[in-house]
């Protein structure tokens, strides 16, 4: 199992990850480190543990909001798919009636030709 070293708030951590996930883990750690540094700039030195907790809660809040937005979009897609399915059914009925009308007209025309 591969291992990577990441630095968060000036401290280096050695972490294991799945094969091929090294860059992803490093990117996540870098984003978290950036979040902590932004908070340190905003709030000053309030303690590493507090900064880590605040950064984790901020990221958890973003994740929660993202999940909420995805659920709303999934609902909207399901509703649109339902509307489209209903529209497709109506279109099929209209096309069937139109085909019947064309068939009847063709039969009348043929009937007139034969007469």
């Amino acid at each position: 199992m591969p291992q990577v070293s990441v630095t968060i708030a000036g401290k280096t951590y050695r972490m294991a990850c799945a094969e091929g996930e090294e860059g992803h883990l490093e990117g996540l750690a870098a984003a978290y480190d950036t979040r902590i540094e932004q908070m340190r700039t905003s709030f000053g030195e309030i303690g590493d543990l507090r900064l880590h907790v605040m950064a984790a809660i901020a990221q958890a809040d973003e994740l929660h909001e993202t999940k909420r937005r995805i659920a709303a979009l999934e609902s909207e897609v399901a509703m649109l798919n339902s509307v489209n399915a209903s529209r497709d059914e109506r279109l099929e009925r209209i096309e069937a009636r139109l085909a019947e009308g064309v068939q009847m007209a063709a039969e009348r025309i043929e009937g007139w030709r034969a007469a």
Side-chain angles (χ1 to χ4, degrees), residues 35-67:
R35 173 68 58 111
I36 288 173
E37 290 308 314
Q38 289 170 341
M39 290 187 152
R40 180 172 281 132
T41 300
S42 295
F43 303 114
E45 287 299 327
I46 60 171
D48 281 348
L49 181 57
R50 193 167 176 193
L51 280 172
H52 283 266
V53 169
M54 289 171 62
I57 289 172
Q59 287 189 316
D61 183 49
E62 285 179 12
L63 177 61
H64 174 77
E65 177 61 18
T66 299
K67 285 181 176 180

Side-chain angles (χ1 to χ4, degrees), residues 1-51:
M1 178 170 277
Q3 292 192 354
V4 295
S5 291
V6 298
T7 302
I8 299 172
K11 294 181 182 159
T12 301
Y13 301 92
R14 189 137 181 89
M15 306 178 113
C17 61
E19 188 70 40
E21 293 294 316
E22 298 89 346
H24 181 64
L25 179 56
E26 290 168 341
L28 291 172
Y32 187 69
D33 184 55
T34 299
R35 173 68 58 111
I36 288 173
E37 290 308 314
Q38 289 170 341
M39 290 187 152
R40 180 172 281 132
T41 300
S42 295
F43 303 114
E45 287 299 327
I46 60 171
D48 281 348
L49 181 57
R50 193 167 176 193
L51 280 172

Side-chain angles (χ1 to χ4, degrees), residues 58-80:
Q59 287 189 316
D61 183 49
E62 285 179 12
L63 177 61
H64 174 77
E65 177 61 18
T66 299
K67 285 181 176 180
R68 186 196 65 74
R69 290 175 65 196
I70 288 171
L73 289 170
E74 287 174 339
S75 267
E76 187 176 343
V77 166
M79 187 266 309
L80 290 172

